[in-house]
């Protein structure tokens, strides 16, 4: 658990990785046979791993601790008399606690395995539903495990084109684990997709600072290298920094200092949608991502970080308010475009009605002129001329009003 300098403060990264590579059951059993006094070590270490969100390691340690306790009880029972066997071998409260904790860990791991299988199979909405059951199902879920579930659900939302929900889960992941490189990278990609280039560049800079901090901490690099080599992953941090720098340069060239937010992608709508669809999408997003509820997820997890909880909640509310303003901005932009389109349509209809009225007036004038040519030239000419002058005056006034409306 070596702390590193990130964003001007020390951040502990030990809960991001599992440092228990030895999971050979034979090795654990050989240790447990030293005696019943050793069994408490596995239970304490298992509870610590569960507290840090390292569920697989916690399950291995607690299982071996429970097995050691059972072996110690069996060994002790061989030397007991029948009358003292019943009184002294009843499991006790510690055994019940370990069994409950082990059952809870297995339940969470089964749910996560199901969600990951759905994610790999391309069933993104189903995967998000399973992760939601883990996140919302029980209170006291460890911070590291719940942050991992938020990150996987963000991936499912991103694949399902639910960009706002994905950004919200990335915000929650970073609130619980500020050193999660995957969350920063995913959120930068999401911001780039919707056209928020300034926020994308900010996340890329933070990601670059994180990798530079990892480069400066050589002991942590060795530990991460062990984990990544066992998982078949690459840990070329300098290559990651170079890639981030080149990507940031490309984004700066694209944006030219201006954001071109795609409001339709923000709300998950298609172009040409109706006003009702826009209002419905805005209502759903505004209720789901209310800023005053942006920090409630911290109370549902077992927070073990050294940071101040109130400061973490303040950061979560700030991120939630920023996301809510993005939703409002998208709603206003789409509604403004729909209103302008409706006003332009009304204006074109009014112009067509004006042209039809003009044509009808000219038709009446020529009918009067034809009638006057049959013997009523004296008075009909004057009446027809006055009628023509009135129609031309009305047409010119309406045309002037329409020109002023267009200029306005």
């Amino acid at each position: 658990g070596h702390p590193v300098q990130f964003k001007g403060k020390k951040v502990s990264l030990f809960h991001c990785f599992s440092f228990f590579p030895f999971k050979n059951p034979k090795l654990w059993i050989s240790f447990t046979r030293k005696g019943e006094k050793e069994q408490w070590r596995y239970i304490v270490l298992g509870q610590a791993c569960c507290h840090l969100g390292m569920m697989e390691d916690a399950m291995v340690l607690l299982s071996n601790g429970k097995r050691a306790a059972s072996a110690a009880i069996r060994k002790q029972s061989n030397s007991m008399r029948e009358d003292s066997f019943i009184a002294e071998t009843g499991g006790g409260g510690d055994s019940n606690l370990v069994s409950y904790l082990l059952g809870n860990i297995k339940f969470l791991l089964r749910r996560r395995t199901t969600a990951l299988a759905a994610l790999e199979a391309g069933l993104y909405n189903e995967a998000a539903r399973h992760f939601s059951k883990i996140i919302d199902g029980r209170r006291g879920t460890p911070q590291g495990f719940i942050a991992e579930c938020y990150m996987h659900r963000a991936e499912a939302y991103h694949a399902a084109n639910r960009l706002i929900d994905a950004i919200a889960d990335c915000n929650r992941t970073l609130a619980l684990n500020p050193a999660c490189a995957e969350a920063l990278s995913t959120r930068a990609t999401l911001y780039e997709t919707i056209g928020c280039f300034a926020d994308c560049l900010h996340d890329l800079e933070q990601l670059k600072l994180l990798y530079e901090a990892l480069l400066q901490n050589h002991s942590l690099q060795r530990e991460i290298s062990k984990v990544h080599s066992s998982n078949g992953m690459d840990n070329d941090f300098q290559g990651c920094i170079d890639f981030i720098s080149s990507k940031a340069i490309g984004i700066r060239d694209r944006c030219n200092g201006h954001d071109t937010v795609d409001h339709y992608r923000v709300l998950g709508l298609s172009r040409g949608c109706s006003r009702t669809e826009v209002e419905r999408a805005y209502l759903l997003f505004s209720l789901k991502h209310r800023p005053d509820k942006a920090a409630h997820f911290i109370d549902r997890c077992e927070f073990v970080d050294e940071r101040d909880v109130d400061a973490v909640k303040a950061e979560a509310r700030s991120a939630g308010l920023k996301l809510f303003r993005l939703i409002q901005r998208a709603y206003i932009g789409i509604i403004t475009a729909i209103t302008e389109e409706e006003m332009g349509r009304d204006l074109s209809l009014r112009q067509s009605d004006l042209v039809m009225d003009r044509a009808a007036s000219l038709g009446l004038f020529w009918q009067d002129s034809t009638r006057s040519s049959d013997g009523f030239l004296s008075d009909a000419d004057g009446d027809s001329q006055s009628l023509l002058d009135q129609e031309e005056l009305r047409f010119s006034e309406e045309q002037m009003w329409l020109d002023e409306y267009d200029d306005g």
Side-chain angles (χ1 to χ4, degrees):
H2 305 280
V4 298
Q5 289 293 130
F6 176 59
K7 296 174 66 173
K9 56 185 179 182
K10 288 188 176 181
V11 178
S12 180
L13 301 176
F14 69 92
H15 59 280
C16 301
F17 308 100
S18 174
F19 296 127
F20 285 84
F22 303 106
K23 297 182 180 179
N24 189 350
K26 296 181 179 179
L27 180 64
W28 293 117
I29 293 172
S30 65
F31 288 157
T32 59
R33 290 175 181 172
K34 291 183 177 180
E36 59 181 277
K37 295 182 180 180
E38 300 289 333
Q39 68 191 28
W40 65 271
R41 296 185 180 181
Y42 299 104
I43 297 176
V44 171
L45 287 174
Q47 291 177 346
C49 289
C50 179
H51 196 60
L52 296 175
M54 301 159 61
M55 295 301 201
E56 292 87 351
D57 299 315
M59 185 176 66
V60 171
L61 289 168
L62 290 175
S63 298
N64 284 282
K66 189 176 180 181
R67 191 180 298 113
S70 300
I73 290 175
R74 286 195 302 270
K75 182 178 180 181
Q76 185 180 5
S77 63
N78 293 330
S79 59
M80 287 183 180
R81 296 177 299 179
E82 293 184 0
D83 55 349
S84 62
F85 178 78
I86 299 176
E88 297 182 10
T89 59
D94 293 338
S95 177
N96 295 332
L97 177 62
V98 171
S99 298
Y100 172 78
L101 187 59
L102 194 57
N104 188 28
I105 291 173
K106 290 180 179 180
F107 174 78
L108 292 175
L109 289 178
R110 281 196 301 268
R111 278 211 179 276
R112 189 186 67 176
T113 302
T114 304
L116 290 175
L119 183 62
E120 293 178 359
L123 304 174
Y124 304 120
N125 291 323
E126 183 178 352
R129 181 172 58 85
H130 284 296
F131 283 120
S132 298
K133 288 182 179 180
I134 298 175
I135 293 168
D136 303 329
R138 301 191 179 197
R139 292 183 179 272
T141 306
Q143 175 187 352
F145 185 78
I146 208 76
E148 182 183 353
C149 292
Y150 275 126
M151 188 64 250
H152 288 308
R153 193 173 71 170
E155 294 175 359
Y157 282 148
H158 187 192
N161 203 27
R162 298 168 60 177
L163 304 183
I164 288 296
D165 294 331
I167 293 175
D169 276 349
C170 287
N171 291 340
R172 297 185 183 103
T173 304
L174 290 170
L176 295 173
N177 181 12
C180 183
E182 188 177 1
L184 284 171
S185 178
T186 302
R187 193 172 67 175
T189 303
L190 291 167
Y191 279 139
E192 182 184 3
T193 303
I194 62 177
C196 293
F197 296 117
D199 295 326
C200 176
L201 290 173
H202 179 267
D203 283 346
L204 290 177
E205 291 296 330
Q206 297 301 319
L207 186 60
K208 184 178 178 181
L209 289 176
L210 176 60
Y211 281 125
E212 290 175 349
L214 291 175
L215 278 177
Q216 295 174 3
N217 196 310
H218 301 289
S219 58
L220 185 59
Q221 281 187 54
R222 289 191 295 270
E223 299 291 350
I224 297 175
S225 299
K226 294 178 183 178
V227 177
H228 284 194
S229 60
S230 62
N231 296 330
M233 299 172 62
D234 188 17
N235 57 336
D236 184 10
F237 297 121
Q238 187 60 48
C240 293
I241 293 173
D242 297 337
F243 175 77
I244 292 170
S245 301
S246 61
K247 186 175 181 179
I249 293 173
I251 292 175
R252 288 191 185 95
D253 295 337
R254 285 175 55 191
C255 67
N256 292 325
H258 301 284
D259 284 352
T260 55
V261 180
D262 190 347
H263 302 310
Y264 292 92
R265 299 205 69 174
V266 171
L267 296 183
L269 299 172
S270 59
R271 297 185 182 276
C273 57
S274 63
R275 183 186 291 268
T276 304
E277 292 175 343
V278 177
E279 291 177 350
R280 180 178 178 276
Y282 173 71
L283 178 62
L284 291 175
F285 280 122
S286 60
L287 290 176
K288 187 175 182 180
H289 302 288
R290 288 174 51 183
D292 57 336
K293 293 184 177 181
H296 287 185
F297 70 96
I298 298 177
D299 297 328
R300 301 187 64 87
C301 71
E302 187 179 352
F303 195 79
V304 298
D305 209 313
E306 298 177 354
R307 296 172 294 162
D308 184 21
V309 178
D310 294 333
V312 175
K313 288 184 177 180
E315 293 179 2
R317 292 190 192 97
S318 177
L321 180 60
K322 182 179 179 180
L323 184 64
F324 187 76
R325 287 175 178 173
L326 179 62
I327 296 171
Q328 285 184 323
R329 181 180 172 187
Y331 170 73
I332 293 172
I334 298 176
I335 288 295
T336 303
I338 292 176
T339 303
E340 291 177 353
E341 183 180 353
E342 291 175 351
M343 293 177 65
R345 194 183 306 117
D346 294 339
L347 182 61
S348 62
L349 290 175
R350 187 161 185 174
Q351 286 179 342
S352 63
D353 293 339
L354 183 60
V355 171
M356 294 297 292
D357 292 341
R358 175 64 175 169
S361 300
L362 290 175
L364 291 174
F365 169 72
W366 289 115
Q367 288 178 4
D368 293 340
S369 300
T370 305
R371 193 180 305 114
S372 64
S373 64
D374 294 336
F376 303 96
L377 294 175
S378 57
D379 296 333
D381 287 342
D383 295 339
S384 300
Q385 185 64 35
S386 62
L387 179 62
L388 180 61
D389 293 340
Q390 291 176 4
E391 290 298 327
E392 289 182 349
L393 179 62
R394 185 170 66 86
F395 181 78
S396 62
E397 289 178 353
E398 292 185 357
Q399 190 64 38
M400 290 175 59
W401 181 84
L402 291 173
D403 294 340
E404 290 177 358
Y405 180 80
D406 291 337
D407 295 337

